[in-house]
Amino acid sequence: MKLINFLREWALIIAILAGVLGYFVYICIPFGPGVHTVTSKVVGILQPLLIFTMLFLTFCRVDPRELKLKSWHVWILLLQTLFFTGIGCVLIALPHSSMRIILEGAMLCLICPTATAGAVITGKLGGSVSEITTYTILINIVVALLIPALMPFVHPNPDLNVWEAGLRILAKVFPLLLLPFICAMGFRRFLPELTKRIASHPDISFYLWAVALSLAIAMTTRSIWHSSVDMTTQLCLVAVSFVCCCMQFALGRWIGSHYGDKVTPGQSFGQKNTVLAIWMGYTFFTPVTALVGGFYSIWHNVINSYQLHAHQHKVSNQNKKNNSDNADKQDL
């Protein structure tokens, strides 16, 4: 149990170090070119498979009857869509902009769906698990449609027309983002006992996330190592991930303040599926932009850690106050 608790507490750092060190160990081993080709293909299949499985396991714990659309869902969906589309239009209008990589990094941070673990953190902070789950499903649908619709214009493929490029991208993102939900609902309908058994083992998602994050960080490290992008631009991507993270948490909480719940909208907007962000970075964007996903993972975990600490401190103080009030009443 001590080992499990240690791994859980330091999972982010362990996964990042494993990804970085694992990549450098791999390239130091004198494999033949055929091995590198096979490895790239295996990772290319394994990475989306892990993302699919994590989403599937998450959705197996979803009760469709608890999914309800809220007003704040619409506002945050609208903001994510407008931010992403707006920056995309700038890049379409200025295809040779010197800011292209930085703007792509911002696009990636702003459109990335909510983390599969978002519901866990939201529950611990006193938010609504069902509402963030609803938003996770909605934003996955939006991303699955928006990426194929816009990316062929942002990154034109000279060998394909816009429709062909869009359909190819759709073929990659649809199975990854929407099929897990469809499969999970099918399991719930036709295999309810098996679904309950799957849902009763949430630790599986945790281990899969650690493996997927390590692979994603390894791919990011490869992109940086082989990139011709200057260090200043890469540091700008780090800054972009920080600014986008803080902005989205703040905007989410501000929107939520108008509906009596700062926690759930804040987590829905700010806590991202960074493994998916890294995958989208080196699959659809300029590969080095995957860097923002790795650093966003650090920033949102720092913010979540602070929020959990502050919430625990608040609950502890409230319990002390309640105990003091009860003691005063007994004395009377």
Side-chain angles (χ1 to χ4, degrees), residues 229-252:
V229 176
D230 60 274
M231 182 58 67
T232 301
T233 302
Q234 294 188 36
L235 290 175
C236 285
L237 286 173
V238 175
V240 162
S241 67
F242 176 74
V243 171
C244 287
C245 184
C246 294
M247 181 189 73
Q248 289 180 106
F249 270 106
L251 277 175

Side-chain angles (χ1 to χ4, degrees), residues 88-141:
C89 289
V90 171
L91 289 175
I92 293 169
L94 303 171
H96 304 295
S97 170
S98 60
M99 297 286 289
R100 166 170 284 275
I101 292 177
I102 296 170
L103 291 174
E104 285 185 359
M107 289 178 71
L108 193 57
C109 290
L110 294 167
I111 198 57
C112 183
T114 305
T116 55
V120 177
I121 302 297
T122 300
K124 289 183 178 180
L125 292 173
S128 171
V129 173
S130 62
E131 289 181 18
I132 191 174
T133 303
T134 302
Y135 187 79
T136 301
I137 295 169
L138 290 172
I139 190 59
N140 274 301
I141 294 172

Side-chain angles (χ1 to χ4, degrees), residues 29-51:
I29 300 174
F31 292 122
V35 174
H36 292 299
T37 302
V38 172
T39 302
S40 296
K41 289 182 178 180
V42 169
V43 172
I45 296 171
L46 186 59
Q47 188 74 4
L49 183 61
L50 286 169
I51 296 170

